[in-house]
Amino acid sequence: MIAMADNDDIKTLSFEAALAQLEEIVGKLESGRAPLAESIAIYERGEALKAHCETLLRTAEARIEKITLSRDGKPTGIEPLDA
């Protein structure tokens, strides 16, 4: 079930939980089953979920490092992925 009144709980959701809720919202909006007022509320929640997912992804990307290799293929260290 989608909580609509307050989006403060989104901050505590894992990426997977937020994405699952976002997919549920998209399905409901695409089906046209929700009345207008509910559609607006769940759309707003969907926007908050999308922003939360993007933040979590950016954080994860910043933590990923690339392993550097020597010419003979042996690991020599690490560097940021986007260096």
Side-chain angles (χ1 to χ4, degrees):
M1 189 60 155
I2 300 169
M4 293 177 292
D6 189 356
N7 291 332
D8 287 341
D9 65 311
I10 290 173
K11 297 174 193 166
T12 63
L13 293 176
S14 68
F15 176 80
E16 294 79 10
L19 186 59
Q21 283 190 28
L22 186 55
E23 289 171 345
E24 182 182 342
I25 287 171
V26 169
K28 194 166 190 177
L29 289 171
E30 286 179 343
S31 74
R33 297 178 306 212
L36 180 60
E38 183 182 354
S39 292
I40 292 168
I42 63 175
Y43 178 84
E44 290 172 348
R45 181 166 179 84
E47 285 291 316
L49 287 163
K50 176 182 171 279
H52 179 64
C53 286
E54 288 173 343
T55 298
L56 291 174
L57 283 174
R58 279 193 303 275
T59 300
E61 288 172 349
R63 295 180 61 198
I64 294 173
E65 296 175 321
K66 180 173 66 172
I67 298 172
T68 57
L69 303 175
S70 65
R71 288 186 177 182
D72 60 354
K74 294 183 182 178
T76 59
I78 57 173
E79 63 184 41
L81 184 63
D82 294 330

